[in-house]
Amino acid sequence: MGQCGITSSKTVLVFLNLIFWAAAGILCYVGAYVFITYDDYDHFFEDVYTLIPAVIIIAVGALLFIIGLIGCCATVRESYCGLTSFVIILLLVFMTEVAVVVLGYIYRAKVENEVNSSIMKVYDEYNGTNSNAQSRAIDYVQRQLQCCGIHNYSDWQHTRWYEKSKNNSVPISCCKSNIGTCTGSLTHPEALYQEGCEALVVKKLQEIMMYVIWTALTFAAMQMLGMLCACVVLCRRSRDPAYELLVTGGTYA
């Protein structure tokens, strides 16, 4: 019965280590996705510390490659030292991922205030040229999120760009993608996106942070299972001298 239990634990542990290698790639992908998306929305969110969870996720992903290698070798050889190191490293990574979850929730709560305090400034610096970073950011967001203005398209009437252009229109990026004749004129509001961008930018950034949180929680649970299986193998070795001799190939005196 005991031998069956340890064999099952070893099988699960080897399988988990293979998953850790796949998880490492997934974590690095999630971290990179957060960086890329943040680059698209960075004008609306000035707190760079929000990227800390993404940095930690990428670091944990890189570490999981090493953990998977150590875990597989230690499990197959049933090395006491290797399995002990494996458990300790997994525990440290588990604690790190818990920190990622906590930081994720903290920064997720800060997103709305950050966007609210910066979005008006970004819109006010819009000049409609491709050389202007704020203009590129706003046009990108309005097309991607299918929105116009801060709360709705009428917000453009209070910007410096609208006052200078004096053509009673909003940027072309406000035009609905299925209306090819749209020129951005406010005389045809039905051709414009009706929803404002502020709420959608907040929603998008909060969704990204939730991806990080759920990814960290999922792999933290897997690591707990890995630690449990490793501890079962270690406890079996320490409690049963006969099993130790069987593993090492020794004999009784």
Side-chain angles (χ1 to χ4, degrees):
M1 189 71 176
Q3 182 63 33
C4 179
I6 195 151
T7 301
S8 299
S9 296
K10 286 174 61 178
T11 302
V12 172
L13 195 52
V14 170
F15 180 69
L16 280 175
N17 282 304
L18 295 176
I19 292 179
F20 286 161
W21 280 331
I26 295 173
L27 288 173
C28 289
Y29 170 80
V30 170
Y33 172 72
V34 172
F35 270 100
I36 293 170
T37 307
Y38 178 86
D39 188 55
D40 293 331
Y41 295 88
D42 61 347
H43 289 87
F44 304 96
F45 200 82
E46 298 176 351
D47 189 356
V48 295
Y49 294 107
T50 306
L51 291 176
I52 290 177
V55 173
I56 297 175
I57 281 286
I58 292 175
V60 168
L63 187 59
L64 276 180
F65 278 112
I66 301 173
I67 291 175
L69 181 62
I70 293 174
C72 277
C73 293
T75 303
V76 172
R77 295 172 61 88
E78 295 190 22
S79 166
Y80 182 85
C81 180
L83 285 172
T84 303
S85 301
F86 176 71
V87 171
I88 293 172
I89 296 173
L90 270 187
L91 180 61
L92 293 175
V93 173
F94 174 79
M95 293 170 63
T96 302
E97 289 185 334
V98 170
V100 168
V101 172
V102 173
L103 288 173
Y105 272 108
I106 291 174
Y107 290 126
R108 185 176 181 273
K110 293 175 62 178
V111 164
E112 188 169 359
N113 290 334
E114 285 283 337
V115 173
N116 290 345
S117 64
S118 62
I119 194 168
M120 186 64 187
K121 178 182 175 183
V122 177
Y123 269 82
D124 204 41
E125 293 178 357
Y126 182 91
N127 65 15
T129 63
N130 196 47
S131 60
N132 179 262
Q134 287 79 8
S135 298
R136 292 197 305 271
I138 289 173
D139 286 335
Y140 173 83
V141 167
Q142 291 189 152
R143 289 192 180 98
Q144 286 293 112
L145 301 183
Q146 299 185 345
C147 58
C148 183
I150 299 174
H151 302 104
N152 55 57
Y153 61 84
S154 65
D155 291 325
W156 278 105
Q157 294 175 296
H158 308 294
T159 63
R160 287 186 291 181
W161 174 82
Y162 181 86
E163 293 171 358
K164 289 180 179 179
S165 62
K166 297 179 180 179
N167 59 5
N168 194 36
S169 66
V170 296
I172 299 298
S173 56
C174 280
C175 292
K176 293 179 179 178
S177 57
N178 61 341
I179 302 179
T181 58
C182 176
T183 61
S185 175
L186 289 174
T187 58
H188 299 286
E190 69 280 357
L192 307 175
Y193 293 124
Q194 302 298 305
E195 194 168 358
C197 294
E198 183 180 52
L200 293 179
V201 169
V202 170
K203 181 182 177 181
K204 180 69 173 180
L205 292 172
Q206 288 181 337
E207 284 178 353
I208 293 168
M209 201 56 65
M210 282 306 299
Y211 293 152
V212 173
I213 291 170
W214 281 110
T215 301
L217 281 174
T218 300
F219 292 116
M222 290 170 50
Q223 285 156 21
M224 282 192 67
L225 182 58
M227 286 187 287
L228 178 63
C229 291
C231 286
V232 169
V233 177
L234 286 171
C235 289
R236 174 67 178 175
R237 285 181 60 103
S238 61
R239 291 180 180 179
D240 193 344
Y243 179 76
E244 174 72 21
L245 289 170
L246 179 64
V247 170
T248 58
T251 57
Y252 287 111

